[in-house]
Amino acid sequence: MYNPDNLHLAMGTALQRTIHQLRSEDREFFQIAISVDCVIFGFDKNELKVLLIKSDLEEFNNQWSLLGDLVRPDENLETASYRVLKDRTGLDDVYLEQVYTFGEVNRHPAGRVISTAYYSLINIKEHQPVLTDNELHWHPVNEINTLAFDHKTILDTCLERLQSKIEEYPIVFNLLPEKFSLRELQTLYEAILGIKMDRRNFRKKFFLMDWLEDMNELEQDVPHRPGKLYRFNASRFSSGKEKTPMPV
Amino acid sequence: MYNPDNLHLAMGTALQRTIHQLRSEDREFFQIAISVDCVIFGFDKNELKVLLIKSDLEEFNNQWSLLGDLVRPDENLETASYRVLKDRTGLDDVYLEQVYTFGEVNRHPAGRVISTAYYSLINIKEHQPVLTDNELHWHPVNEINTLAFDHKTILDTCLERLQSKIEEYPIVFNLLPEKFSLRELQTLYEAILGIKMDRRNFRKKFFLMDWLEDMNELEQDVPHRPGKLYRFNASRFSSGKEKTPMPV
DNA sequence: TACCAATGCGTAGCCTATACACAATTTAAC
DNA sequence: GTTAAATTGTGTATAGGCTACGCATTGGTA
């Protein structure tokens, strides 16, 4: 598999030497660790939340941090993200998207660690087991002011990406149970975008986009007139490049 | 500066150990090299071009590849990109944007190399010196079918990012000389997006956005009625989050 | 001087986003 | 049971922006 001794290749002058002309003397470069950090989003009680873990690093005593791990030499970057998710949430089939790589020299107190940030969307209700792990906790995104390391920056970056992404692609459904009401869907959009939307225009928009399939069922246990339940019908999303601007 | 011996930290079980609990035994993880690859875009003769270098790696004989280099242990990721640009083009003050990190295990034949891709926009006319280096060459983006490594994928990813970026932010000006005509500007948008636009609507749009400053000069040496010259006036771009949809 | 090619400017129509009104349905309270 | 409260479900009117064009103007060229 991985073998540093494969690094004997054509040479060049120091200036001309590029990554494509690695020599075995270049092992000095293998002094950077790479990690993945996962911003795991969930939606509960009308709030967008993120799964955090208590940092036990002295420098960041009592601060929360994102879930992450070092990338192993024999695993893909994305594989590492899935592994973190699987280990921490038990969930397998989740939406995952790479966002940005943070590579400041001093971002990690333990040494040079470059970290690639992913965010993932999970249905929080399928995920109660994690709450038994008292190191882990769901935090409302709005109430997070500081995190360990540069994780607040990472969180902000991922949230921005999520915001722009949902305005074009039908990915929010990953945050909802299979069946949901239009109100839940709208509240979710509002929570992510941080804005209020008009109920009637929102409804109109979604039916026009034809993403929803009527389940012919009604909400249960609501203290008012129950709404219809729908589910996302991926087949109606012609995965072409058409945009799907959301109401503002 | 960097010192692997700082890595003595709190421990946990194998499963619970995260990036935030690095131990010195974790040195096995420092077996991954990280590099940057730069997609350097230019605009010349009505075509979008990219600066490539001849790969002298045996596996990729006679194939072209992007400009890149390993990241040094004591330099930021972005700093490494600027360094590559400076070394290769001599240009300092360029537009640079990180796009994506490619981390497949087998993407580089010499070993495990993870690469973060950046694209940059430069004014090709300020950049003739590079042509004396016969390893480097500008290639029309449209005519590139294969590149060494996974560089074709990287190029495609960066082009897509550029396409979506210019529909919201005024960055194309980095590809043009200080003074330019509306025709040049439109041709550039068309070259990047790969579409034809209506000349009159394009004009209307741009004047409405109020980005352009009339230089009260005319084009020279054109075999037809010369157009006015403009320059980009950044101060008119209120850097708020307003979008600036382009005509299609 | 006539012709050509591109610039510069204006208008009409369509499509979509937005703002807003009202009836229907279910629960909860009295 | 009757009523009030809350929310769902449906429709319409208006404004603004994008799109598709028409046409005169300007400079270069033969």
Side-chain angles (χ1 to χ4, degrees), chain A residues 59-247:
Chain A
E59 288 91 331
F60 294 104
N61 202 16
N62 278 331
Q63 291 198 32
W64 294 91
S65 69
L66 299 171
L67 275 60
D69 198 2
L70 291 174
V71 176
R72 297 173 181 163
D74 62 348
E75 81 183 335
N76 293 343
L77 207 51
E78 194 175 89
T79 309
S81 284
Y82 277 119
R83 177 169 55 79
V84 168
L85 277 165
K86 174 75 174 174
D87 287 351
R88 289 302 181 171
T89 69
L91 294 180
D92 237 348
D93 187 31
V94 294
Y95 181 87
L96 189 70
E97 178 180 342
Q98 190 196 114
V99 175
Y100 200 81
T101 298
F102 296 83
E104 297 290 306
V105 168
N106 293 315
R107 59 173 294 281
H108 198 294
R112 183 70 200 275
V113 182
I114 287 177
S115 187
T116 299
Y118 287 78
Y119 76 87
S120 74
L121 307 177
I122 76 174
N123 173 5
I124 217 168
K125 291 184 177 79
E126 284 183 6
H127 181 59
Q128 296 308 328
V130 83
L131 294 174
T132 63
D133 184 341
N134 57 13
E135 283 190 314
L136 292 176
H137 205 265
W138 288 103
H139 293 250
V141 171
N142 285 334
E143 298 172 9
I144 298 173
N145 293 315
T146 56
L147 291 174
F149 311 97
D150 53 356
H151 287 189
K152 180 64 162 68
T153 304
I154 295 180
L155 171 60
D156 292 343
T157 306
C158 285
L159 179 58
E160 284 171 25
R161 173 70 64 90
L162 174 62
Q163 287 172 339
S164 61
K165 192 87 178 184
I166 65 170
E167 300 202 3
E168 290 185 30
Y169 299 92
I171 60 172
V172 295
F173 303 102
N174 295 289
L175 288 162
L176 292 171
E178 197 199 346
K179 301 174 187 178
F180 52 85
S181 68
L182 266 175
R183 155 157 282 280
E184 287 176 290
L185 186 61
Q186 180 178 341
T187 311
L188 175 51
Y189 269 95
E190 291 177 338
I192 295 176
L193 296 175
I195 57 174
K196 283 290 175 191
M197 298 178 177
D198 183 89
R199 193 173 53 85
R200 293 154 291 192
N201 293 333
F202 184 87
R203 173 181 292 275
K204 200 186 312 172
K205 190 75 168 189
F206 263 87
F207 288 145
L208 231 105
M209 291 192 293
D210 197 34
W211 285 348
L212 301 178
E213 184 178 353
D214 192 335
M215 301 297 287
N216 291 313
E217 289 180 59
L218 295 178
E219 279 180 304
Q220 302 292 328
D221 305 320
V222 285
H224 52 74
R225 173 179 176 182
K228 281 186 176 179
L229 292 180
Y230 300 88
R231 80 170 161 204
F232 173 57
N233 190 327
S235 66
R236 301 186 181 181
F237 175 66
S238 39
S239 67
K241 287 253 174 164
E242 78 265 43
K243 312 232 167 171
T244 61
M246 289 299 306

Side-chain angles (χ1 to χ4, degrees), chain B residues 198 200-201 204-205 223-226 245 247-248:
Chain B
D198 184 89
R200 291 152 293 189
N201 293 333
K204 200 188 310 172
K205 189 76 167 192
H224 53 74
R225 173 180 177 182
V248 182

